[in-house]
mmCIF file of all heavy atoms in Angstrom:
data_model
loop_
_atom_site.group_PDB
_atom_site.id
_atom_site.type_symbol
_atom_site.label_atom_id
_atom_site.label_comp_id
_atom_site.label_asym_id
_atom_site.label_seq_id
_atom_site.Cartn_x
_atom_site.Cartn_y
_atom_site.Cartn_z
ATOM 1 N N ALA A 70 -22.532 185.363 35.850
ATOM 2 C CA ALA A 70 -22.253 184.987 34.455
ATOM 3 C C ALA A 70 -21.122 183.972 34.351
ATOM 4 O O ALA A 70 -21.126 183.118 33.457
ATOM 5 C CB ALA A 70 -21.921 186.227 33.633
ATOM 6 N N LEU A 71 -20.139 184.038 35.262
ATOM 7 C CA LEU A 71 -19.046 183.066 35.222
ATOM 8 C C LEU A 71 -19.562 181.659 35.492
ATOM 9 O O LEU A 71 -19.133 180.692 34.855
ATOM 10 C CB LEU A 71 -17.938 183.428 36.217
ATOM 11 C CG LEU A 71 -16.747 182.462 36.229
ATOM 12 C CD1 LEU A 71 -16.042 182.434 34.875
ATOM 13 C CD2 LEU A 71 -15.753 182.822 37.335
ATOM 14 N N ARG A 72 -20.497 181.542 36.421
ATOM 15 C CA ARG A 72 -21.112 180.244 36.701
ATOM 16 C C ARG A 72 -21.792 179.702 35.448
ATOM 17 O O ARG A 72 -21.660 178.523 35.084
ATOM 18 C CB ARG A 72 -22.130 180.372 37.836
ATOM 19 C CG ARG A 72 -22.772 179.047 38.253
ATOM 20 C CD ARG A 72 -24.055 179.272 39.037
ATOM 21 N NE ARG A 72 -25.120 179.817 38.172
ATOM 22 C CZ ARG A 72 -26.349 180.080 38.591
ATOM 23 N NH1 ARG A 72 -26.676 179.892 39.860
ATOM 24 N NH2 ARG A 72 -27.246 180.561 37.760
ATOM 25 N N ASP A 73 -22.541 180.570 34.762
ATOM 26 C CA ASP A 73 -23.262 180.157 33.557
ATOM 27 C C ASP A 73 -22.308 179.645 32.478
ATOM 28 O O ASP A 73 -22.550 178.607 31.847
ATOM 29 C CB ASP A 73 -24.084 181.330 32.999
ATOM 30 C CG ASP A 73 -25.188 181.774 33.951
ATOM 31 O OD1 ASP A 73 -25.432 181.075 34.947
ATOM 32 O OD2 ASP A 73 -25.793 182.835 33.698
ATOM 33 N N ILE A 74 -21.224 180.397 32.264
ATOM 34 C CA ILE A 74 -20.244 180.023 31.234
ATOM 35 C C ILE A 74 -19.550 178.714 31.608
ATOM 36 O O ILE A 74 -19.328 177.838 30.763
ATOM 37 C CB ILE A 74 -19.200 181.154 31.055
ATOM 38 C CG1 ILE A 74 -19.867 182.374 30.408
ATOM 39 C CG2 ILE A 74 -18.002 180.688 30.234
ATOM 40 C CD1 ILE A 74 -20.422 182.126 29.018
ATOM 41 N N THR A 75 -19.210 178.569 32.885
ATOM 42 C CA THR A 75 -18.530 177.351 33.353
ATOM 43 C C THR A 75 -19.402 176.130 33.139
ATOM 44 O O THR A 75 -18.936 175.091 32.634
ATOM 45 C CB THR A 75 -18.183 177.484 34.848
ATOM 46 O OG1 THR A 75 -17.425 178.685 35.056
ATOM 47 C CG2 THR A 75 -17.362 176.296 35.328
ATOM 48 N N GLU A 76 -20.672 176.250 33.499
ATOM 49 C CA GLU A 76 -21.599 175.115 33.347
ATOM 50 C C GLU A 76 -21.855 174.810 31.871
ATOM 51 O O GLU A 76 -22.040 173.644 31.493
ATOM 52 C CB GLU A 76 -22.894 175.401 34.104
ATOM 53 C CG GLU A 76 -22.680 175.409 35.621
ATOM 54 C CD GLU A 76 -23.906 175.811 36.420
ATOM 55 O OE1 GLU A 76 -24.908 176.242 35.804
ATOM 56 O OE2 GLU A 76 -23.856 175.708 37.667
ATOM 57 N N LYS A 77 -21.816 175.841 31.027
ATOM 58 C CA LYS A 77 -21.970 175.636 29.577
ATOM 59 C C LYS A 77 -20.864 174.720 29.045
ATOM 60 O O LYS A 77 -21.098 173.890 28.156
ATOM 61 C CB LYS A 77 -21.924 176.991 28.850
ATOM 62 C CG LYS A 77 -22.064 176.889 27.329
ATOM 63 C CD LYS A 77 -21.841 178.227 26.645
ATOM 64 C CE LYS A 77 -20.375 178.460 26.329
ATOM 65 N NZ LYS A 77 -20.130 179.639 25.480
ATOM 66 N N HIS A 78 -19.678 174.846 29.628
ATOM 67 C CA HIS A 78 -18.528 174.034 29.199
ATOM 68 C C HIS A 78 -18.380 172.755 30.036
ATOM 69 O O HIS A 78 -17.354 172.070 29.930
ATOM 70 C CB HIS A 78 -17.246 174.862 29.272
ATOM 71 C CG HIS A 78 -17.156 175.944 28.240
ATOM 72 N ND1 HIS A 78 -16.992 175.679 26.899
ATOM 73 C CD2 HIS A 78 -17.238 177.297 28.346
ATOM 74 C CE1 HIS A 78 -16.964 176.819 26.220
ATOM 75 N NE2 HIS A 78 -17.099 177.822 27.074
ATOM 76 N N GLY A 79 -19.379 172.443 30.867
ATOM 77 C CA GLY A 79 -19.359 171.193 31.624
ATOM 78 C C GLY A 79 -18.551 171.208 32.897
ATOM 79 O O GLY A 79 -18.275 170.158 33.480
ATOM 80 N N GLY A 80 -18.164 172.411 33.352
ATOM 81 C CA GLY A 80 -17.375 172.518 34.572
ATOM 82 C C GLY A 80 -18.220 172.872 35.781
ATOM 83 O O GLY A 80 -19.440 173.031 35.687
ATOM 84 N N SER A 81 -17.549 172.997 36.911
ATOM 85 C CA SER A 81 -18.219 173.346 38.162
ATOM 86 C C SER A 81 -17.685 174.683 38.659
ATOM 87 O O SER A 81 -16.469 174.926 38.639
ATOM 88 C CB SER A 81 -17.958 172.248 39.200
ATOM 89 O OG SER A 81 -18.432 172.642 40.467
ATOM 90 N N TYR A 82 -18.583 175.555 39.096
ATOM 91 C CA TYR A 82 -18.207 176.879 39.603
ATOM 92 C C TYR A 82 -18.395 176.940 41.116
ATOM 93 O O TYR A 82 -19.385 176.417 41.647
ATOM 94 C CB TYR A 82 -19.071 177.969 38.953
ATOM 95 C CG TYR A 82 -18.994 179.292 39.676
ATOM 96 C CD1 TYR A 82 -17.917 180.146 39.469
ATOM 97 C CD2 TYR A 82 -19.962 179.668 40.603
ATOM 98 C CE1 TYR A 82 -17.818 181.354 40.159
ATOM 99 C CE2 TYR A 82 -19.877 180.871 41.293
ATOM 100 C CZ TYR A 82 -18.798 181.705 41.061
ATOM 101 O OH TYR A 82 -18.704 182.878 41.760
ATOM 102 N N GLN A 83 -17.445 177.569 41.803
ATOM 103 C CA GLN A 83 -17.610 177.832 43.234
ATOM 104 C C GLN A 83 -17.211 179.269 43.545
ATOM 105 O O GLN A 83 -16.343 179.841 42.874
ATOM 106 C CB GLN A 83 -16.773 176.863 44.068
ATOM 107 C CG GLN A 83 -17.326 175.445 44.070
ATOM 108 C CD GLN A 83 -16.754 174.599 45.177
ATOM 109 O OE1 GLN A 83 -16.630 175.037 46.318
ATOM 110 N NE2 GLN A 83 -16.403 173.363 44.849
ATOM 111 N N ALA A 84 -17.830 179.822 44.594
ATOM 112 C CA ALA A 84 -17.546 181.203 45.009
ATOM 113 C C ALA A 84 -16.789 181.198 46.330
ATOM 114 O O ALA A 84 -17.146 180.471 47.259
ATOM 115 C CB ALA A 84 -18.842 181.990 45.156
ATOM 116 N N SER A 85 -15.763 182.017 46.408
ATOM 117 C CA SER A 85 -14.959 182.139 47.629
ATOM 118 C C SER A 85 -15.319 183.420 48.371
ATOM 119 O O SER A 85 -16.038 184.275 47.854
ATOM 120 C CB SER A 85 -13.472 182.179 47.279
ATOM 121 O OG SER A 85 -13.131 183.465 46.771
ATOM 122 N N ALA A 86 -14.779 183.561 49.565
ATOM 123 C CA ALA A 86 -14.840 184.839 50.265
ATOM 124 C C ALA A 86 -14.104 185.889 49.430
ATOM 125 O O ALA A 86 -13.247 185.556 48.602
ATOM 126 C CB ALA A 86 -14.206 184.713 51.644
ATOM 127 N N VAL A 87 -14.443 187.159 49.633
ATOM 128 C CA VAL A 87 -13.794 188.241 48.902
ATOM 129 C C VAL A 87 -12.323 188.324 49.306
ATOM 130 O O VAL A 87 -11.966 188.119 50.461
ATOM 131 C CB VAL A 87 -14.512 189.582 49.167
ATOM 132 C CG1 VAL A 87 -13.752 190.748 48.561
ATOM 133 C CG2 VAL A 87 -15.938 189.528 48.615
ATOM 134 N N GLY A 88 -11.460 188.605 48.343
ATOM 135 C CA GLY A 88 -10.024 188.706 48.602
ATOM 136 C C GLY A 88 -9.255 187.716 47.750
ATOM 137 O O GLY A 88 -9.612 186.539 47.666
ATOM 138 N N GLU A 89 -8.194 188.191 47.103
ATOM 139 C CA GLU A 89 -7.434 187.348 46.170
ATOM 140 C C GLU A 89 -6.919 186.071 46.819
ATOM 141 O O GLU A 89 -6.970 184.985 46.226
ATOM 142 C CB GLU A 89 -6.265 188.145 45.585
ATOM 143 C CG GLU A 89 -5.458 187.372 44.567
ATOM 144 C CD GLU A 89 -4.409 188.214 43.876
ATOM 145 O OE1 GLU A 89 -4.592 189.447 43.762
ATOM 146 O OE2 GLU A 89 -3.401 187.644 43.430
ATOM 147 N N VAL A 90 -6.420 186.175 48.048
ATOM 148 C CA VAL A 90 -5.866 184.999 48.717
ATOM 149 C C VAL A 90 -6.937 183.929 48.918
ATOM 150 O O VAL A 90 -6.657 182.718 48.834
ATOM 151 C CB VAL A 90 -5.190 185.400 50.061
ATOM 152 C CG1 VAL A 90 -6.202 185.868 51.084
ATOM 153 C CG2 VAL A 90 -4.361 184.250 50.635
ATOM 154 N N ASN A 91 -8.188 184.349 49.140
ATOM 155 C CA ASN A 91 -9.293 183.394 49.307
ATOM 156 C C ASN A 91 -9.671 182.731 47.980
ATOM 157 O O ASN A 91 -9.980 181.538 47.934
ATOM 158 C CB ASN A 91 -10.516 184.104 49.905
ATOM 159 C CG ASN A 91 -10.233 184.669 51.280
ATOM 160 O OD1 ASN A 91 -9.647 184.005 52.125
ATOM 161 N ND2 ASN A 91 -10.628 185.906 51.511
ATOM 162 N N VAL A 92 -9.648 183.516 46.908
ATOM 163 C CA VAL A 92 -9.928 182.964 45.581
ATOM 164 C C VAL A 92 -8.878 181.905 45.229
ATOM 165 O O VAL A 92 -9.201 180.802 44.782
ATOM 166 C CB VAL A 92 -9.948 184.081 44.504
ATOM 167 C CG1 VAL A 92 -10.127 183.473 43.109
ATOM 168 C CG2 VAL A 92 -11.060 185.080 44.785
ATOM 169 N N VAL A 93 -7.603 182.250 45.456
ATOM 170 C CA VAL A 93 -6.507 181.329 45.129
ATOM 171 C C VAL A 93 -6.621 180.032 45.936
ATOM 172 O O VAL A 93 -6.454 178.928 45.394
ATOM 173 C CB VAL A 93 -5.140 182.007 45.372
ATOM 174 C CG1 VAL A 93 -4.001 180.988 45.356
ATOM 175 C CG2 VAL A 93 -4.894 183.087 44.315
ATOM 176 N N GLU A 94 -6.926 180.162 47.213
ATOM 177 C CA GLU A 94 -7.046 178.979 48.077
ATOM 178 C C GLU A 94 -8.125 178.022 47.552
ATOM 179 O O GLU A 94 -7.917 176.804 47.481
ATOM 180 C CB GLU A 94 -7.384 179.430 49.508
ATOM 181 C CG GLU A 94 -7.382 178.303 50.525
ATOM 182 C CD GLU A 94 -7.752 178.782 51.928
ATOM 183 O OE1 GLU A 94 -7.629 180.001 52.206
ATOM 184 O OE2 GLU A 94 -8.160 177.938 52.732
ATOM 185 N N LEU A 95 -9.282 178.574 47.164
ATOM 186 C CA LEU A 95 -10.365 177.730 46.661
ATOM 187 C C LEU A 95 -10.042 177.184 45.266
ATOM 188 O O LEU A 95 -10.422 176.054 44.935
ATOM 189 C CB LEU A 95 -11.690 178.507 46.644
ATOM 190 C CG LEU A 95 -12.953 177.692 46.351
ATOM 191 C CD1 LEU A 95 -13.111 176.526 47.335
ATOM 192 C CD2 LEU A 95 -14.195 178.592 46.406
ATOM 193 N N MET A 96 -9.333 177.969 44.459
ATOM 194 C CA MET A 96 -8.915 177.479 43.142
ATOM 195 C C MET A 96 -8.024 176.243 43.281
ATOM 196 O O MET A 96 -8.183 175.255 42.546
ATOM 197 C CB MET A 96 -8.178 178.582 42.366
ATOM 198 C CG MET A 96 -9.072 179.676 41.821
ATOM 199 S SD MET A 96 -8.128 180.931 40.907
ATOM 200 C CE MET A 96 -7.631 180.010 39.438
ATOM 201 N N LYS A 97 -7.096 176.296 44.221
ATOM 202 C CA LYS A 97 -6.208 175.153 44.437
ATOM 203 C C LYS A 97 -7.004 173.940 44.920
ATOM 204 O O LYS A 97 -6.768 172.808 44.489
ATOM 205 C CB LYS A 97 -5.123 175.516 45.455
ATOM 206 C CG LYS A 97 -4.095 176.508 44.925
ATOM 207 C CD LYS A 97 -3.082 176.872 46.003
ATOM 208 C CE LYS A 97 -2.020 177.808 45.469
ATOM 209 N NZ LYS A 97 -1.039 178.215 46.509
ATOM 210 N N LYS A 98 -7.950 174.199 45.814
ATOM 211 C CA LYS A 98 -8.744 173.122 46.407
ATOM 212 C C LYS A 98 -9.622 172.429 45.357
ATOM 213 O O LYS A 98 -9.868 171.221 45.427
ATOM 214 C CB LYS A 98 -9.611 173.703 47.525
ATOM 215 C CG LYS A 98 -10.176 172.677 48.502
ATOM 216 C CD LYS A 98 -10.960 173.364 49.619
ATOM 217 C CE LYS A 98 -10.044 174.115 50.566
ATOM 218 N NZ LYS A 98 -10.805 174.716 51.704
ATOM 219 N N THR A 99 -10.107 173.200 44.366
ATOM 220 C CA THR A 99 -11.032 172.649 43.364
ATOM 221 C C THR A 99 -10.362 172.396 42.012
ATOM 222 O O THR A 99 -11.040 172.068 41.041
ATOM 223 C CB THR A 99 -12.218 173.612 43.150
ATOM 224 O OG1 THR A 99 -11.716 174.892 42.717
ATOM 225 C CG2 THR A 99 -13.017 173.809 44.425
ATOM 226 N N ASN A 100 -9.022 172.545 41.978
ATOM 227 C CA ASN A 100 -8.271 172.388 40.720
ATOM 228 C C ASN A 100 -8.854 173.237 39.599
ATOM 229 O O ASN A 100 -9.029 172.770 38.462
ATOM 230 C CB ASN A 100 -8.242 170.910 40.283
ATOM 231 C CG ASN A 100 -7.458 170.048 41.248
ATOM 232 O OD1 ASN A 100 -6.369 170.429 41.678
ATOM 233 N ND2 ASN A 100 -7.997 168.902 41.615
ATOM 234 N N ALA A 101 -9.185 174.474 39.920
ATOM 235 C CA ALA A 101 -9.790 175.370 38.931
ATOM 236 C C ALA A 101 -8.810 175.678 37.803
ATOM 237 O O ALA A 101 -7.620 175.899 38.030
ATOM 238 C CB ALA A 101 -10.241 176.659 39.603
ATOM 239 N N ILE A 102 -9.331 175.684 36.584
ATOM 240 C CA ILE A 102 -8.536 175.981 35.389
ATOM 241 C C ILE A 102 -8.264 177.479 35.295
ATOM 242 O O ILE A 102 -7.207 177.922 34.854
ATOM 243 C CB ILE A 102 -9.300 175.533 34.119
ATOM 244 C CG1 ILE A 102 -9.537 174.026 34.152
ATOM 245 C CG2 ILE A 102 -8.561 175.939 32.862
ATOM 246 C CD1 ILE A 102 -8.303 173.190 34.031
ATOM 247 N N ILE A 103 -9.253 178.268 35.710
ATOM 248 C CA ILE A 103 -9.141 179.726 35.680
ATOM 249 C C ILE A 103 -10.064 180.295 36.760
ATOM 250 O O ILE A 103 -11.033 179.653 37.175
ATOM 251 C CB ILE A 103 -9.500 180.299 34.287
ATOM 252 C CG1 ILE A 103 -9.171 181.804 34.204
ATOM 253 C CG2 ILE A 103 -10.953 179.999 33.918
ATOM 254 C CD1 ILE A 103 -9.209 182.369 32.797
ATOM 255 N N GLY A 104 -9.732 181.478 37.224
ATOM 256 C CA GLY A 104 -10.559 182.111 38.243
ATOM 257 C C GLY A 104 -10.194 183.576 38.342
ATOM 258 O O GLY A 104 -9.484 184.126 37.504
ATOM 259 N N GLY A 105 -10.696 184.214 39.395
ATOM 260 C CA GLY A 105 -10.375 185.629 39.570
ATOM 261 C C GLY A 105 -11.462 186.374 40.289
ATOM 262 O O GLY A 105 -12.263 185.792 41.029
ATOM 263 N N GLU A 106 -11.487 187.666 40.049
ATOM 264 C CA GLU A 106 -12.445 188.528 40.722
ATOM 265 C C GLU A 106 -13.157 189.392 39.688
ATOM 266 O O GLU A 106 -12.592 189.707 38.636
ATOM 267 C CB GLU A 106 -11.736 189.390 41.767
ATOM 268 C CG GLU A 106 -11.081 188.551 42.856
ATOM 269 C CD GLU A 106 -10.451 189.402 43.946
ATOM 270 O OE1 GLU A 106 -9.414 190.026 43.686
ATOM 271 O OE2 GLU A 106 -11.005 189.425 45.051
ATOM 272 N N GLY A 107 -14.367 189.795 40.008
ATOM 273 C CA GLY A 107 -15.185 190.568 39.087
ATOM 274 C C GLY A 107 -14.688 191.982 38.856
ATOM 275 O O GLY A 107 -15.252 192.722 38.061
ATOM 276 N N ASN A 108 -13.608 192.367 39.528
ATOM 277 C CA ASN A 108 -13.040 193.704 39.307
ATOM 278 C C ASN A 108 -12.021 193.693 38.167
ATOM 279 O O ASN A 108 -11.220 194.611 38.036
ATOM 280 C CB ASN A 108 -12.397 194.238 40.591
ATOM 281 C CG ASN A 108 -11.267 193.355 41.100
ATOM 282 O OD1 ASN A 108 -10.815 192.444 40.417
ATOM 283 N ND2 ASN A 108 -10.813 193.617 42.305
ATOM 284 N N GLY A 109 -12.061 192.665 37.337
ATOM 285 C CA GLY A 109 -11.128 192.594 36.209
ATOM 286 C C GLY A 109 -9.852 191.855 36.546
ATOM 287 O O GLY A 109 -8.857 191.983 35.826
ATOM 288 N N GLY A 110 -9.858 191.073 37.609
ATOM 289 C CA GLY A 110 -8.671 190.323 38.023
ATOM 290 C C GLY A 110 -8.697 188.904 37.467
ATOM 291 O O GLY A 110 -9.573 188.117 37.822
ATOM 292 N N ILE A 111 -7.750 188.571 36.582
ATOM 293 C CA ILE A 111 -7.676 187.243 35.953
ATOM 294 C C ILE A 111 -6.583 186.429 36.639
ATOM 295 O O ILE A 111 -5.422 186.848 36.691
ATOM 296 C CB ILE A 111 -7.317 187.361 34.451
ATOM 297 C CG1 ILE A 111 -8.273 188.313 33.737
ATOM 298 C CG2 ILE A 111 -7.287 185.985 33.790
ATOM 299 C CD1 ILE A 111 -9.707 187.897 33.755
ATOM 300 N N ILE A 112 -6.947 185.255 37.147
ATOM 301 C CA ILE A 112 -5.964 184.353 37.761
ATOM 302 C C ILE A 112 -5.941 183.073 36.928
ATOM 303 O O ILE A 112 -6.923 182.332 36.874
ATOM 304 C CB ILE A 112 -6.319 184.036 39.227
ATOM 305 C CG1 ILE A 112 -6.402 185.338 40.041
ATOM 306 C CG2 ILE A 112 -5.284 183.095 39.840
ATOM 307 C CD1 ILE A 112 -6.896 185.153 41.474
ATOM 308 N N TYR A 113 -4.799 182.816 36.286
ATOM 309 C CA TYR A 113 -4.649 181.685 35.370
ATOM 310 C C TYR A 113 -3.471 180.835 35.854
ATOM 311 O O TYR A 113 -2.306 181.159 35.605
ATOM 312 C CB TYR A 113 -4.408 182.217 33.954
ATOM 313 C CG TYR A 113 -4.376 181.165 32.876
ATOM 314 C CD1 TYR A 113 -5.340 180.166 32.798
ATOM 315 C CD2 TYR A 113 -3.373 181.193 31.900
ATOM 316 C CE1 TYR A 113 -5.313 179.210 31.788
ATOM 317 C CE2 TYR A 113 -3.334 180.244 30.881
ATOM 318 C CZ TYR A 113 -4.303 179.254 30.839
ATOM 319 O OH TYR A 113 -4.274 178.309 29.840
ATOM 320 N N PRO A 114 -3.760 179.738 36.558
ATOM 321 C CA PRO A 114 -2.691 178.935 37.182
ATOM 322 C C PRO A 114 -1.635 178.418 36.213
ATOM 323 O O PRO A 114 -0.501 178.157 36.623
ATOM 324 C CB PRO A 114 -3.463 177.775 37.823
ATOM 325 C CG PRO A 114 -4.845 178.288 38.033
ATOM 326 C CD PRO A 114 -5.097 179.218 36.893
#
């Protein structure tokens, strides 16, 4: 669903390996505006 919402707003979605440190690394690499994990974890740079 996050991919769907991102594409609705004209952005690009990517999936990282499981683990917060992996999500953060890919967020930095892709200049993500927001990210996180499906367990209710919100990461807002």
